[in-house]
Amino acid sequence: MAGGLAYPLAITYFITKDGFSAGMRLFSAIIGGVSALCFLFGASNPEVGKRPLNAAFKISAWIDVKAFKNLLFLTYSVGVGFIFLAFYPLLFHITEWAEREMFKGMNVVWFLTIVNGCSFIGRLTSAAVASARWSNPTMVHAISCFAAALVVFLLWPLAQQESHAVLFCVMFGVLGGSLFGLPASGVAFILPKQLGGSLGAWTGIMWALSSVFALIGPPIVGRLIKSYWIESVGYWTGVNLLVAGALISIAVWMKHLEDKRERWSNTELNIGQIGSVA
């Protein structure tokens, strides 16, 4: 949250005060300093065993081939990819949207700052709901996708006042926090129990697959804006969020069937053991 609030304001202030070149150098220095602090004071979990150094140079240490054979994991990962395809292009164009809609009462950078800051609320609330006994991360993730799509379809093209724009940024920021806070938990939820030690590798593969979607989204949206208008960004985002929600919902259903088969298998095994004892 701190970065989402501070960085947009800092870079805007530096560029306005000192010019683009000097502003970017100052901002880069801040990023470098924060990264250095993380490197110096970051520590790994002492309870996690360390792998031999030579294992780190093996491809199998970074890429688990089993992940690409798991249809449930691939379905969920592609769903997360469509979130990247949807979210970032709209986030990048919020300030341009605010300028074109003539929201002059506040600096347009505040709209981006509101989205980033409110994501903190979404990350906390979605994690709390996903941890409930009656819930799970993938279910909350799918619901968040559909809710975010609804917010975009309603408020992006229809916002006529500054208060409407602020409401959109708050709601989209909260839901965005949920969209990007839950994927790792979702992978942990769908990961086969016997592969619990591969959680880090599978999560990394999920993010790597999503990065492809993050790269192709902005150029497509740039072409849409050039050919049509700024409102087309909202339609692009809304449609892709619906696709993401549908794919993650399918993953929820597949996980349900998988758990059901496992319960049946365990029940039959227990019955067989009781029969053999009798």
Side-chain angles (χ1 to χ4, degrees):
M1 181 188 73
L5 284 172
Y7 288 162
L9 295 176
I11 194 169
T12 301
Y13 173 78
F14 289 143
I15 290 176
T16 302
K17 180 176 180 293
D18 302 306
F20 181 81
S21 298
M24 291 303 297
R25 283 194 292 269
L26 289 169
F27 187 68
S28 299
I30 293 175
I31 298 294
V34 173
S35 301
L37 289 175
C38 294
F39 178 79
L40 292 173
F41 297 103
S44 59
N45 187 348
E47 297 180 1
V48 178
K50 294 183 178 180
R51 291 179 297 181
L53 182 61
N54 59 347
F57 297 98
K58 295 181 179 179
I59 296 178
S60 59
W62 303 95
I63 302 176
D64 191 345
V65 179
K66 298 186 187 71
F68 296 97
K69 299 178 181 179
N70 189 299
L71 185 59
L72 169 57
F73 170 76
L74 292 177
T75 302
Y76 182 72
S77 296
V78 173
V80 175
F82 271 93
I83 293 175
F84 277 79
L85 197 64
F87 190 89
Y88 281 121
L90 187 142
L91 187 67
F92 294 156
H93 289 89
I94 278 183
T95 54
E96 182 181 353
W97 169 71
E99 289 176 351
R100 292 196 183 186
E101 295 295 334
M102 306 298 288
F103 299 132
K104 296 298 186 182
M106 57 191 296
N107 193 315
V108 292
V109 73
W110 279 106
F111 292 102
L112 179 60
T113 304
I114 290 171
V115 173
N116 289 329
C118 289
S119 68
F120 178 71
I121 302 172
R123 293 174 189 272
L124 288 181
T125 55
S126 63
V129 174
S131 301
R133 181 176 299 179
W134 48 267
S135 181
N136 65 70
T138 52
M139 182 183 71
V140 177
H141 209 181
I143 294 173
S144 299
C145 287
F146 292 127
L150 183 63
V151 168
V152 173
F153 280 134
L154 290 179
L155 291 179
W156 180 268
L158 300 179
Q160 300 296 325
Q161 300 177 13
E162 186 176 288
S163 58
H164 300 162
V166 172
L167 176 63
F168 168 77
C169 291
V170 169
M171 296 183 68
F172 192 67
V174 171
L175 291 168
S178 174
L179 295 180
F180 290 100
L182 289 173
S185 300
V187 173
F189 178 72
I190 66 177
L191 183 71
K193 295 179 181 178
Q194 64 272 22
L195 297 175
S198 301
L199 175 59
W202 284 44
T203 304
I205 292 171
M206 181 267 296
W207 289 126
L209 293 174
S210 301
S211 66
V212 178
F213 292 83
L215 287 172
I216 65 176
I220 295 174
V221 171
R223 183 63 183 177
L224 286 174
I225 294 175
K226 186 176 180 180
S227 301
Y228 300 100
W229 57 91
I230 190 68
E231 282 75 13
S232 62
V233 180
Y235 299 127
W236 167 267
T237 295
V239 169
N240 281 290
L241 285 173
L242 289 177
V243 174
L247 288 170
I248 296 175
S249 297
I250 293 173
V252 173
W253 174 71
M254 293 171 67
K255 177 63 176 175
H256 171 73
L257 293 181
E258 186 179 276
D259 290 343
K260 189 176 181 180
R261 285 194 298 267
E262 184 177 351
R263 286 194 298 268
W264 273 106
S265 178
N266 291 337
T267 301
E268 292 176 354
L269 180 61
N270 291 334
I271 293 174
Q273 291 175 346
I274 294 174
S276 62
V277 171

